[in-house]
Amino acid sequence: FTFKDETGTSLSDIARLDTLVTVVDGASFLDELHAADKLRARGWQAGEEDERTVAQLFCDQLEFANVIVMNKMDLMDEKALARLKATL
């Protein structure tokens, strides 16, 4: 919402962010949360100076979300599901 286009207009000039939804892949989230991979190694970096890890990105997304959708829950056993819910 803060980035301006070539005309100097940002999305916040014409829209309001009401809800931020994050989708959590239940089957792989906990493994990815502990990954030390840099975003750059996966081609996910936001820009040249982005030195965050995958885990930091996930935490950022969860921290700012006010709606969390958990999918692939059918691929998890009860123990893993309880662990995921406790972590979130």
Side-chain angles (χ1 to χ4, degrees), residues 17-85:
L17 181 62
D18 180 68
T19 302
L20 183 64
V21 177
T22 294
V23 178
V24 171
D25 180 336
S28 65
F29 178 78
L30 291 174
D31 291 332
E32 293 287 1
L33 183 62
H34 299 291
D37 299 359
K38 294 277 189 182
L39 295 178
R40 183 172 317 285
R42 296 188 183 192
W44 295 357
Q45 73 275 14
E48 282 293 315
E49 313 241 339
D50 192 353
E51 292 296 325
R52 293 176 298 164
T53 64
V54 171
Q56 289 169 324
L57 172 65
F58 284 6
C59 289
D60 287 346
Q61 289 176 336
L62 288 167
E63 180 179 340
F64 290 104
N66 54 339
V67 175
I68 300 171
V69 176
M70 298 188 305
N71 71 348
K72 299 186 183 176
M73 306 307 284
D74 58 319
L75 302 177
M76 303 176 70
D77 61 28
E78 289 300 318
K79 183 178 177 184
L81 181 57
R83 196 167 142 229
L84 176 62
K85 286 182 179 180

